[in-house]
Amino acid sequence: MKFVIHRDKLVQSVQDVMKAVSSRTTIPILTGIKIVAHSEGVTLTGSDSDVSIESFIPTEEDGNEIVEIIQTGSIVLQARFFSEIVKKLPMDLVEIEVGNHHSTIIRSGKAEFSLIGLDAEEYPLLPQIEEENLFKIPTDLLKTMIRQTVFAVSTSETRPILTGVNWKLENNELICIATDSHRLALRKAPITAENQSSYNVVIPGKSLNELSKILDDTNELIEIVITENQVLFKAKNLLFFSRLLDGNYPDTSRLIPNESKTNMTINSKDFLQAIDRASLLAKEARNNVVKLSTLSGGTVEISSNSPEIGKVSEEIQTADITGEELKISFSAKYVMDALKALEGTEINVNFTGAMRPFVIRATNDDSILQLILPVRTY
Amino acid sequence: MKFVIHRDKLVQSVQDVMKAVSSRTTIPILTGIKIVAHSEGVTLTGSDSDVSIESFIPTEEDGNEIVEIIQTGSIVLQARFFSEIVKKLPMDLVEIEVGNHHSTIIRSGKAEFSLIGLDAEEYPLLPQIEEENLFKIPTDLLKTMIRQTVFAVSTSETRPILTGVNWKLENNELICIATDSHRLALRKAPITAENQSSYNVVIPGKSLNELSKILDDTNELIEIVITENQVLFKAKNLLFFSRLLDGNYPDTSRLIPNESKTNMTINSKDFLQAIDRASLLAKEARNNVVKLSTLSGGTVEISSNSPEIGKVSEEIQTADITGEELKISFSAKYVMDALKALEGTEINVNFTGAMRPFVIRATNDDSILQLILPVRTY
């Protein structure tokens, strides 16, 4: 294998596939990056066996030569060293050449590295995925849907299925749901599917976080293929594979109340900042809990009290409040997470008494819903 | 105590004095910030008993009112909470009022915090320093001198005196020296002293790092007062006290060779980057060691070899090289630290054989010197 490549393109691709490489793998060859040079360009692969990322660098892009393939072939190089090396090479062009016994020369300007490589034949094959049933979604919408749900997954392995986001596709609508059993985030969007397929799968939160990091902010369509135990995201020059979580995701639809007793419309930023301030004293005591009390004149009070440190209270004016009087306590962190995920400046909060879950929605937008369980304080 | 103050000024001052506050102090009141309101303004103090910082906010600056003192007085508030609170207050103006039992109200807009304070009388007094003998130095020069030496202090407590920087003032010249016994950094500068005082003290590296962080990049003069066991830095509206280290600093003058056998003039950036690249493979094996070999034609080779990973070599062109042929091994980190501390694009390196310390200087600048001990590799 021998090729000459533009350093910047190589650095970008290496960074992308590095997202899948873990130093704590039990399969030694997966600490490496697989490099394949073929007539159309160079393909890099990184994997931790849960997530695999393949990045393709074409020989030519927009009429400019990016890679010159001198001899096709393949090699696996230690990811940590290879990624550090390419970042620090002195010149714009890099030559990579495999010699005897997988020894690989990386040359740029007068700097010459010789790395001990591994046989690419030993590298595990990526999942073979039949691309019969695929659906498409704009990349930026996908990133938004991930951002608005993935924060609510469970970080505890007690119920592993809750560490993933439930993706349901039905009737040309994609619904993403995450819950850690204290709060729930739901986001839906219409989808262009080629046929009337329906899916109900659970994608690890960690995979979605990594995917989100390497996707560009573009409205180009990304293709999604779901199989029994894998999901594949296909963007331009990039394949992202993730395994799916085994097991049935709980039915969350009956958690969402369809009636309410106190309804509030409020500026999202004012509400967020008041809770943020009240949580400053709550961080120490009682697990970050703040209290909301309805007052007269359309105002609510956000307060918190830590006997050893002090107390804080703040009145905020709502745009509208109707229904029963209410005093309710909740995790400041959960409500702040939910408010940050919502787009739009005005939100509706629907309460059903101090002991029942409450729902936050953006005004005039039913595509997103955040549900929070209150905290008992007496 | 009651005053109204501009939030931005308060935030800045609190951030400055926070640099001295440690949460791991054995004296509980030092986890607080002392606030004193007097007729000229508000003074904040933070201390961990090694370093104390006092920041003064005058009632008026450039004709604008910054503080309105309504009632003089003092209080100590928990630093961690107070600093978080002032950062997140909603309005430009903040009112602080001490009530009964040191309970303190912090008010901004409709947000109201009530913090349990402590009696300011219980707060330790700052060192009393007689300001008879002071000398002055431009603030930016002081920061440069700190930056060019402090990185070379020892991080080990085996010889505590080496965790500080040796400051010697004699004949209107200030000399700063740091060494961890593997490398040495020296920087000198002419000083405006009011009388012919001479000092030889050791200032903790940690204190100098904190000082450097809170000083502005300005050429205004900073006043320095040295006593038997304290040093005081006086900038505009800021006092910075540090204790000195006990004990005698070793005499380092005889470490610096006054002859050499191989002399090299080289571009600092080329040299630094080649060592940086060679150190990529050296990080794992043999304690980050790289090798320099003189070649013919005025070039040198920087190389490194890690049997399990691979090897790297790079030739660099020197501007000039004279004297004996040489092969020498050294810590890449130490040489890179030294090169980063040097200003100027061209440097001189003077070697006295493979087993003796070598010296790096900026060409045409004898105010700074970096000395490195080589590593034995055979």
Side-chain angles (χ1 to χ4, degrees), chain B residues 137 139-153 165 167 176 178 183-187 205 207-213 215 217 268 272 336-344 365 368-370:
Chain B
I137 174 171
T139 305
D140 44 8
L141 174 60
L142 173 66
K143 289 181 77 168
T144 302
M145 294 183 80
I146 293 173
R147 181 178 66 77
Q148 290 178 329
T149 52
V150 74
F151 68 88
V153 301
V165 180
W167 278 35
C176 304
R183 37 103 174 250
L184 177 146
L186 180 150
R187 168 69 204 252
S207 303
L208 292 171
N209 274 324
E210 294 303 334
L211 173 65
S212 200
K213 280 184 213 156
L215 291 179
D217 286 309
S268 171
L272 176 65
M336 289 198 292
D337 283 349
L339 292 173
K340 286 176 194 160
L342 288 169
E343 280 159 354
D365 178 4
I368 178 164
L369 172 155
Q370 303 282 343

Side-chain angles (χ1 to χ4, degrees), chain A residues 153-375:
Chain A
V153 301
S154 172
T155 52
S156 143
E157 286 292 337
T158 322
R159 291 179 68 189
I161 196 82
L162 296 186
T163 63
V165 180
N166 184 204
W167 279 34
K168 290 192 286 194
L169 181 67
E170 217 172 59
N171 305 324
N172 283 327
E173 185 177 56
L174 175 65
I175 307 181
C176 304
I177 300 170
T179 179
D180 61 6
S181 76
H182 301 291
R183 37 107 174 248
L184 176 146
L186 180 151
R187 169 70 204 251
K188 49 191 180 182
I191 288 299
T192 318
E194 294 194 351
N195 51 25
Q196 285 288 333
S197 322
S198 66
Y199 300 99
N200 187 340
V201 297
V202 184
I203 306 175
K206 194 168 154 282
S207 304
L208 293 171
N209 274 323
E210 294 303 333
L211 173 65
S212 201
K213 280 184 213 156
I214 63 174
L215 291 179
D216 292 330
D217 286 306
T218 152
N219 58 7
E220 275 180 49
L221 290 173
I222 186 165
E223 293 179 1
I224 304 174
V225 188
I226 293 177
T227 70
E228 208 180 325
N229 54 15
Q230 288 280 336
V231 55
L232 164 60
F233 298 87
K234 295 179 73 179
K236 190 185 168 204
N237 294 336
L238 189 85
L239 300 180
F240 185 104
F241 298 81
S242 169
R243 75 179 170 95
L244 299 173
L245 291 179
D246 278 338
N248 291 317
Y249 202 79
D251 176 16
T252 54
S253 59
R254 66 205 157 72
L255 289 178
I256 299 161
N258 41 25
E259 45 160 26
S260 63
K261 292 180 177 167
T262 313
N263 298 308
M264 172 172 93
T265 305
I266 195 165
N267 179 286
S268 171
K269 197 175 154 204
D270 292 349
F271 193 41
L272 176 64
Q273 291 182 344
I275 294 171
D276 193 10
R277 279 189 283 274
S279 78
L280 290 175
L281 298 190
K283 266 174 201 158
E284 286 295 276
R286 288 191 305 150
N287 196 24
N288 201 10
V289 171
V290 303
K291 192 168 165 182
L292 178 147
S293 313
T294 55
L295 303 178
S296 60
T299 62
V300 292
E301 183 191 66
I302 306 293
S303 63
S304 173
N305 186 0
S306 291
E308 312 250 304
I309 304 154
K311 56 190 180 196
V312 46
S313 72
E314 181 166 352
E315 281 180 30
I316 0 176
Q317 185 68 43
T318 66
D320 185 44
I321 186 161
T322 57
E324 297 179 3
E325 285 184 12
L326 179 74
K327 284 188 200 303
I328 189 169
S329 297
F330 49 77
S331 154
K333 181 180 183 304
Y334 289 169
V335 174
M336 289 198 293
D337 283 349
L339 292 173
K340 285 175 195 159
L342 288 168
E343 279 159 353
T345 53
E346 206 177 61
I347 53 161
N348 294 332
V349 191
N350 304 116
F351 300 96
T352 323
M355 309 305 271
R356 304 285 303 280
F358 57 97
V359 175
I360 310 177
R361 289 185 183 87
T363 304
N364 304 325
D365 178 5
D366 67 348
S367 73
I368 178 164
L369 171 155
Q370 303 282 342
L371 176 138
I372 316 273
L373 269 69
V375 176

Side-chain angles (χ1 to χ4, degrees), chain B residues 70-337:
Chain B
I70 296 161
Q71 195 186 340
T72 60
S74 59
I75 192 72
V76 173
L77 296 178
Q78 286 302 309
R80 191 158 60 90
F81 293 106
F82 184 59
S83 65
E84 287 292 312
I85 288 168
V86 296
K87 262 190 272 179
K88 294 198 169 166
L89 290 174
M91 296 295 171
D92 287 345
L93 288 180
V94 182
E95 180 182 296
I96 299 184
E97 179 176 6
V98 177
N100 289 333
H101 306 296
H102 310 302
S103 157
T104 304
I105 305 287
I106 303 164
R107 225 177 257 120
S108 180
K110 289 196 171 172
E112 183 174 303
F113 289 80
S114 168
L115 286 185
I116 296 164
L118 294 166
D119 188 350
E121 297 291 319
E122 308 286 324
Y123 196 87
L125 291 176
L126 292 189
Q128 294 303 304
I129 288 190
E130 304 234 347
E131 303 188 5
E132 281 176 12
N133 294 319
L134 56 80
F135 60 97
K136 294 176 189 177
I137 174 171
T139 305
D140 44 8
L141 174 60
L142 173 66
K143 289 181 77 168
T144 302
M145 294 183 80
I146 293 173
R147 181 178 66 77
Q148 290 178 329
T149 52
V150 74
F151 68 88
V153 301
S154 171
T155 52
S156 142
E157 286 292 334
T158 323
R159 290 180 68 189
I161 196 81
L162 296 186
T163 63
V165 180
N166 184 204
W167 278 35
K168 289 193 286 192
L169 181 67
E170 216 171 61
N171 305 325
N172 283 328
E173 186 178 55
L174 175 65
I175 307 180
C176 304
I177 299 169
T179 180
D180 61 4
S181 76
H182 302 291
R183 37 103 174 250
L184 177 146
L186 180 150
R187 168 69 204 252
K188 50 191 179 182
I191 288 300
T192 317
E194 293 192 354
N195 50 27
Q196 286 288 333
S197 324
S198 66
Y199 301 100
N200 187 340
V201 296
V202 185
I203 306 176
K206 195 168 153 281
S207 303
L208 292 171
N209 274 324
E210 294 303 334
L211 173 65
S212 200
K213 280 184 213 156
I214 63 174
L215 291 179
D216 293 329
D217 286 309
T218 151
N219 58 7
E220 276 180 50
L221 291 173
I222 187 164
E223 295 180 0
I224 304 175
V225 188
I226 293 177
T227 70
E228 206 180 326
N229 54 16
Q230 288 279 336
V231 56
L232 165 60
F233 297 88
K234 294 178 72 179
K236 190 185 168 204
N237 294 336
L238 189 85
L239 300 180
F240 185 102
F241 299 81
S242 169
R243 75 179 170 94
L244 298 173
L245 291 178
D246 279 338
N248 291 316
Y249 201 80
D251 177 17
T252 54
S253 59
R254 66 205 158 70
L255 289 177
I256 300 161
N258 41 27
E259 44 159 29
S260 62
K261 294 180 176 165
T262 313
N263 298 307
M264 172 172 92
T265 304
I266 195 165
N267 179 284
S268 171
K269 196 175 154 204
D270 292 350
F271 193 41
L272 176 65
Q273 291 181 345
I275 294 171
D276 192 13
R277 279 189 283 274
S279 78
L280 290 176
L281 299 190
K283 266 175 201 158
E284 287 294 276
R286 288 190 303 149
N287 196 24
N288 201 11
V289 171
V290 303
K291 191 170 167 184
L292 178 145
S293 314
T294 54
L295 303 178
S296 60
T299 62
V300 293
E301 182 191 66
I302 307 293
S303 62
S304 174
N305 186 0
S306 292
E308 312 251 303
I309 305 156
K311 57 190 180 196
V312 46
S313 72
E314 180 165 354
E315 280 179 32
I316 0 177
Q317 185 66 44
T318 66
D320 185 42
I321 186 160
T322 57
E324 297 179 1
E325 286 184 11
L326 179 74
K327 285 188 200 304
I328 189 169
S329 296
F330 49 77
S331 153
K333 180 180 183 306
Y334 289 168
V335 175
M336 289 198 292
D337 283 349

